[in-house]
Amino acid sequence: MRGPRLRPRDRVRVVSPASFPSAEWAEQVMETLAGWGLRPELGKHALDRRGFMAGSDEDRLADLNDALRDPGVRAIVAATGGAGAYRIVDGLDLAAVRADPKPIVGFSDITNLHIALWAATGLAGVHGCVGTGGRTDESCRRLLFETEPITLHAEPSSVTVPGRATGVLVGGCAGAVNNFLGAGLPHLDGAILCLEGPQNPHFDRMLWGMLRAGLLDGVRGFAIGDLTGLDPSVAEPGPDEAMTVIRERLGGLGVPILGGLPFGHREDQLCLPLGVEANLDALAGSLTADSAVC
């Protein structure tokens, strides 16, 4: 399920479902959206602070549901990630999403929202952010305004297991995917699972847990984004350590695995559509996915 593409003068709501942004960063996000010809609005509680989160669970959820219910809001942008989105997924207004689908932009902890909404409604979203400039902003703008497919090319020498696969692209930040283990992780049969984030011992445990539970049995392929290496307090990673762990854990499934894709926690990340059909060609080093809008 995809929302309609954005058009000039559309209203876009900027909210903070997880951690809080600085006022300066929130303003930069707003200025970027305005530069695209949109009318950005800041959620009522977007700059609130309570511990590491942007205010209370109730207020963060209220901001998000208000945006989902407002027929004039045509897209929702998370100001930042951090932590806390996992605490509000059970309160999302799914009826509003089904009645008026609109894309949500965000990554890191916002992956919790992407997974929950896709599992319950099939809503497509955008893994990424707004406001950093360069190809990151351009790829996000394209995914929101245009309906043509987008292609990401892997960095050289990054093929892990060659092959081709077609399926629905799901996933995102590995830590957030891990949050759903034992708590409603949707069936991944027929999916291409994308993963990014710190490749540390917790990540290794997550892969083992998913394998032992049979949750990866129907996955058609894996698209691996930025991996920052093992926690140096535990082990000193070698240059190929991250992809070695991927091969050891996932290689036995007999499906294509492509690493080195430029999405995730990196300054020049490309934004990635989620919940849409995608084609993975590990030998050619490419991932092509439909846009997040129609």
Side-chain angles (χ1 to χ4, degrees):
M1 181 172 67
R2 296 184 291 176
R5 68 183 182 89
L6 295 188
R7 301 177 185 276
R9 301 290 298 165
D10 276 349
R11 289 167 53 210
V12 176
R13 190 74 53 83
V14 178
V15 297
S16 300
S19 295
F20 54 84
S22 67
E24 294 76 16
W25 176 250
E27 183 61 29
Q28 187 167 330
V29 173
M30 300 278 283
E31 288 178 358
T32 299
L33 295 169
W36 295 350
L38 300 169
R39 292 186 291 164
E41 308 165 348
L42 192 63
K44 181 179 178 181
H45 300 284
L47 298 180
D48 288 0
R49 298 192 178 197
R50 175 178 286 189
F52 55 83
M53 292 174 291
S56 68
D57 294 348
E58 294 78 12
D59 287 343
R60 297 196 319 282
L61 178 62
D63 270 8
L64 182 54
N65 277 337
D66 284 347
L68 291 171
R69 294 165 182 156
D70 189 331
V73 172
R74 302 317 313 148
I76 301 170
V77 174
T80 190
Y86 50 84
R87 296 175 59 157
I88 64 174
V89 294
D90 292 330
L92 294 171
D93 189 339
L94 301 179
V97 174
R98 296 187 183 100
D100 182 24
K102 60 194 74 173
I104 295 178
V105 178
F107 80 117
S108 192
D109 193 63
I110 307 305
T111 298
N112 290 284
L113 301 180
H114 289 311
I115 293 176
L117 289 171
W118 175 75
T121 70
L123 181 69
V126 176
H127 176 283
C129 63
V130 173
T132 62
R135 69 176 188 172
T136 302
D137 281 351
E138 176 54 30
S139 63
C140 186
R141 188 203 64 79
R142 177 180 172 185
L143 287 171
L144 293 175
F145 278 84
E146 302 177 13
T147 59
E148 291 77 14
I150 188 171
T151 298
L152 277 67
H153 297 281
E155 296 172 350
S157 304
S158 58
V159 173
T160 304
V161 177
R164 297 183 179 90
T166 299
V168 180
L169 190 63
V170 298
C173 177
V177 175
N178 188 50
N179 289 340
F180 282 82
L181 294 183
L185 184 69
H187 202 281
L188 299 175
D189 185 35
I192 294 175
L193 182 61
C194 62
L195 296 171
E196 57 87 10
Q199 198 280 291
N200 54 30
H202 300 295
F203 180 69
D204 186 54
R205 293 188 197 103
M206 179 198 75
L207 293 180
W208 271 115
M210 295 178 78
L211 284 165
R212 293 184 67 195
L215 296 172
L216 301 180
D217 291 349
V219 172
R220 294 180 179 174
F222 295 90
I224 309 299
D226 186 71
L227 300 173
T228 58
L230 290 169
D231 184 343
S233 67
V234 178
E236 186 65 31
D240 300 319
E241 186 71 28
M243 291 312 299
T244 296
V245 172
I246 295 290
R247 283 193 295 269
E248 290 176 349
R249 302 297 171 265
L250 305 178
L253 294 175
V255 299
I257 303 173
L258 177 61
L261 290 164
F263 69 89
H265 288 67
R266 51 188 291 172
E267 291 183 2
D268 62 342
Q269 67 167 303
L270 287 178
C271 295
L272 188 70
L274 296 172
V276 300
E277 285 291 316
N279 294 294
L280 178 72
D281 189 333
L283 189 59
S286 66
L287 174 68
T288 299
D290 291 342
S291 181
V293 294
C294 59

